[in-house]
Amino acid sequence: MMTIGTWNVAGRLPNEDLEIDEWLCVDKPSDVYILGFQEVVPLSAGNVLGAETRRPISKWEAIIRKALNKSPEPVAIPKSYSAPTSPISNDNGELSSTQINLPETKVFNKLDWPEKALDLKPKVLSAGAKLRRVLSSNARVGSSDWLAPQDNIFTGGLKRVHHSSGDLGMLWNEQEERTDMVDSLDDVSEQVLEEEDDFFGDTTELEYENSPLDDQVNSHHSRYVRIVSKQMVGIYISVWVRKSLRRHINNLKVSPVGVGLMGYMGNKGSVSVSMSLYQTRLCFVCSHLTSGHKDGDEERRNSNVSEILKRTRFSSVIDPDQPQTIPCHDQIFWFGDLNYRINKQDAEVRKLVAMKQWDELLYSDQLCKELRRGHVFHGWNEGAIDFAPTYKYEMNSDKYVGENPKEGEKRRTPAWCDRILWLGKGIKQLCYNRAEIKMSDHRPVSSVFVIEVEVFDPRKLRRALNLTSAAVHPEMILDEGLEL
């Protein structure tokens, strides 16, 4: 299962004891959490044009880590290092489909991979004569994951090479940005994984600087770990996975796109994450689109979406076959403060909200209208909305702004600004809700999905290679220039 959450926090710093369990739906734990924030810092000129501050990020990371890892462990299952075999794969070793609804796995005291890995030196882990794994990290080279032949491919030996990276800079503040990423490997041999346990046995997870909540959670026993996080001014995305699933996530890349001031600044725009879960290519787009309730503002938001789709690039120097754009992925999730409003008079909207007439309001919702007309997100899906508009509330209150008008106060008609959409096959939405956390003028929104991903069994690949090397003479293969 996968949980996606989005929240415009209005530039407010969270208290250390903030409870976000309702937003994360922790009563039904997922395998993957993708959390997107907007306005993690106030969108002032200093924050938009100046150096980026990560002070709020450390607080949010600590709160997320605490929420995901504080629940008690379920009953442990036997320890297993092998990748799951596809239940419907055939004997030819072809890709097949399996549903990601993973059971809880036993948590072990040894950490198999640190959260921050960009500054690690390359490591070579030897697994005897048959298998060798090379791990490396580079902050300016695209990532890929492949199997390459050793010098003598007919002995059945394989060399696995893995690179992890991301070009995470922005044009206007490239030097100031600090990015935390980690990429992880599929397991192809129990022997290799046992060696990794020994190799990383004394490693501890690296935490953000001096966050008091981090001390309350023993990261050595964490069930969930962050695999990537990225901030662009006020837009921030953080991806967390079960520790046991981390080695099946590869090809992590991040692409920020600013569409705000002058069409390029980061006060509005998106931060997108591309990754492979087993053999399925996933993309997550966290965005904050142009605000406003004037006639024609929805067209500006449509234009923002078009710009993000056009300008988002996941460069890969090593493996050009990896997805380069958002539409190239198998499954795509787009979420954030999309800022679409309701085309009705303020008084009528408030009356219908009080009566919980969601269908009538949604008929006039700008995003729903633009979807029906095919002007934006053509072919995308959004679940049924059966909750109240998420914007705009008085701080720490259940009242919408303007309910008790004050002199000089600017009215804000309630609207469903915060949305989650998806595109692709093998996606089933289980729920689409808002959480009643009153810290911001927006209510956070989350959605739980069950997704299907393709799983390739490496044991079948080895069997196929052994059969090939036994049946075909080596000179014949060399003459034909076969590459593995």
Side-chain angles (χ1 to χ4, degrees), residues 14 32 35 95 99 144 182 191 193 215 235 238 257 278 281 285 306 311 384 432 438 459 470:
V32 181
L35 304 177
L95 292 176
Q99 179 172 292
S144 65
V182 65
Q191 181 180 356
L193 287 171
D215 295 334
I235 303 171
S238 188
V257 171
Y278 294 99
R281 300 170 299 182
V285 184
S306 297
R311 289 164 48 196
Y432 190 19
K438 304 174 184 179
R459 291 171 294 184

Side-chain angles (χ1 to χ4, degrees), residues 33 41 114 118 165 169 210 286 432 445 467:
Y33 287 85
V41 297
L118 283 183
S165 84
N210 300 324
C286 175
Y432 190 19
V445 172
L467 288 174

Side-chain angles (χ1 to χ4, degrees), residues 397-462:
S397 171
D398 286 323
K399 295 181 180 179
Y400 288 104
V401 168
E403 213 167 292
N404 300 310
K406 300 175 184 177
E407 185 177 351
E409 183 179 57
K410 191 173 182 179
R411 295 183 70 85
R412 289 285 192 275
T413 301
W416 285 284
C417 291
D418 309 279
R419 313 290 275 267
I420 300 172
L421 298 91
W422 74 91
L423 178 67
K425 297 180 180 179
I427 303 172
K428 180 182 179 181
Q429 188 181 52
L430 299 184
C431 66
Y432 190 19
N433 301 310
R434 71 175 221 171
E436 300 305 319
I437 307 176
K438 304 174 184 179
M439 187 193 83
S440 168
D441 57 359
H442 290 248
R443 291 293 188 265
V445 172
S446 59
S447 182
V448 179
F449 299 91
V450 171
I451 66 169
E452 293 180 352
V453 300
E454 290 182 311
V455 177
F456 183 78
D457 188 347
R459 291 171 294 184
K460 293 187 176 181
L461 172 62
R462 288 197 294 271

Side-chain angles (χ1 to χ4, degrees), residues 39-318:
E39 295 189 48
V40 288
V41 297
L43 298 184
S44 62
N47 285 329
V48 175
L49 302 174
E52 205 164 71
T53 173
R54 288 189 59 90
R55 180 174 171 237
I57 305 305
S58 62
K59 291 181 174 291
W60 283 113
E61 294 282 357
I63 290 170
I64 295 167
R65 180 177 283 109
K66 177 185 176 183
L68 292 179
N69 291 308
K70 70 181 179 182
S71 56
E73 285 292 328
V75 177
I77 63 172
K79 182 175 180 178
S80 173
Y81 284 129
S82 60
T85 303
S86 172
I88 57 173
S89 59
N90 56 39
D91 292 334
N92 295 325
E94 297 175 346
L95 292 176
S96 59
S97 179
T98 184
Q99 179 172 292
I100 292 297
N101 192 358
L102 302 177
E104 286 278 350
T105 56
K106 184 175 180 180
V107 175
F108 307 104
N109 291 338
K110 294 183 179 180
L111 177 65
D112 56 358
W113 199 263
E115 282 191 355
K116 299 181 184 179
L118 283 183
D119 56 350
L120 292 181
K121 296 181 179 179
K123 306 291 184 182
V124 178
L125 307 180
S126 174
K130 290 190 176 182
L131 189 69
R132 186 176 63 165
R133 177 177 286 178
V134 180
L135 311 181
S136 68
S137 173
N138 187 328
R140 289 291 175 195
V141 183
S143 63
S144 65
D145 188 9
W146 70 90
L147 290 173
Q150 287 187 354
D151 295 337
N152 185 358
I153 63 174
F154 310 105
T155 63
L158 294 175
K159 182 176 74 173
R160 182 179 183 85
V161 184
H162 182 82
H163 295 265
S164 136
S165 84
D167 185 354
L168 307 177
M170 292 296 292
L171 293 176
W172 55 86
N173 59 357
E174 183 173 358
Q175 298 301 319
E176 290 82 12
E177 290 185 345
R178 184 183 119 197
T179 305
D180 302 297
M181 294 186 64
V182 65
D183 205 351
S184 50
L185 297 172
D186 290 354
D187 57 314
V188 293
S189 163
E190 291 189 9
Q191 181 180 356
V192 170
L193 287 171
E194 288 169 358
E195 290 182 8
E196 286 182 1
D197 277 347
D198 294 336
F199 186 83
F200 293 109
D202 295 328
T203 306
T204 56
E205 292 185 347
L206 301 176
E207 307 291 336
Y208 280 112
E209 62 270 15
N210 300 324
S211 178
L213 282 181
D214 288 344
D215 295 334
Q216 299 177 19
V217 181
N218 187 344
S219 62
H220 212 52
H221 298 273
S222 294
R223 295 161 54 207
Y224 292 91
V225 290
R226 187 194 64 247
I227 61 168
V228 61
S229 64
K230 175 64 179 174
Q231 177 189 5
M232 181 186 73
V233 189
I235 303 171
Y236 172 65
I237 188 171
S238 188
V239 181
W240 299 70
V241 302
R242 288 192 190 277
K243 196 172 179 182
S244 58
L245 190 63
R246 179 170 44 190
R247 63 178 176 269
H248 301 294
I249 294 175
N250 294 282
N251 304 312
L252 270 168
K253 304 183 192 72
V254 175
S255 176
V257 171
V259 297
L261 295 174
M262 299 179 289
Y264 280 89
M265 302 306 288
N267 58 306
K268 294 293 189 291
S270 67
V271 178
S272 303
V273 173
S274 172
M275 72 183 200
S276 297
L277 176 56
Y278 294 99
Q279 276 67 51
T280 295
R281 300 170 299 182
L282 307 176
C283 184
F284 307 101
V285 184
C286 175
S287 67
H288 191 184
L289 307 184
T290 298
S291 61
H293 202 171
K294 301 186 299 293
D295 290 341
D297 280 343
E298 66 269 33
E299 296 175 5
R300 297 172 61 203
R301 291 184 267 275
N302 294 351
S303 177
N304 289 167
V305 173
S306 297
E307 281 293 298
I308 290 168
L309 286 168
K310 181 172 66 176
R311 289 164 48 196
T312 298
R313 287 292 182 272
F314 303 103
S315 60
S316 178
V317 176
I318 297 176

Side-chain angles (χ1 to χ4, degrees), residues 267-385:
N267 58 306
K268 294 293 189 291
S270 67
V271 178
S272 303
V273 173
S274 172
M275 72 183 200
S276 297
L277 176 56
Y278 294 99
Q279 276 67 51
T280 295
R281 300 170 299 182
L282 307 176
C283 184
F284 307 101
V285 184
C286 175
S287 67
H288 191 184
L289 307 184
T290 298
S291 61
H293 202 171
K294 301 186 299 293
D295 290 341
D297 280 343
E298 66 269 33
E299 296 175 5
R300 297 172 61 203
R301 291 184 267 275
N302 294 351
S303 177
N304 289 167
V305 173
S306 297
E307 281 293 298
I308 290 168
L309 286 168
K310 181 172 66 176
R311 289 164 48 196
T312 298
R313 287 292 182 272
F314 303 103
S315 60
S316 178
V317 176
I318 297 176
D319 190 355
D321 292 332
Q322 290 299 320
Q324 305 293 306
T325 65
I326 292 173
C328 290
H329 293 77
D330 301 312
Q331 298 174 354
I332 312 167
F333 300 85
W334 192 306
F335 49 95
D337 181 357
L338 307 190
N339 256 321
Y340 288 94
R341 307 304 172 90
I342 298 173
N343 288 338
K344 280 184 177 294
Q345 293 297 317
D346 181 80
E348 187 177 1
V349 170
R350 292 175 186 272
K351 179 181 178 181
L352 291 171
V353 168
M355 298 170 61
K356 299 185 178 181
Q357 297 295 314
W358 312 138
D359 289 343
E360 187 170 349
L361 284 169
L362 286 166
Y363 187 77
S364 299
D365 174 79
Q366 290 179 348
L367 179 55
C368 291
K369 292 172 68 173
E370 296 302 292
L371 285 168
R372 288 196 301 268
R373 295 168 179 172
H375 292 171
V376 70
F377 291 116
H378 182 67
W380 288 65
N381 303 283
E382 183 182 24
I385 295 178

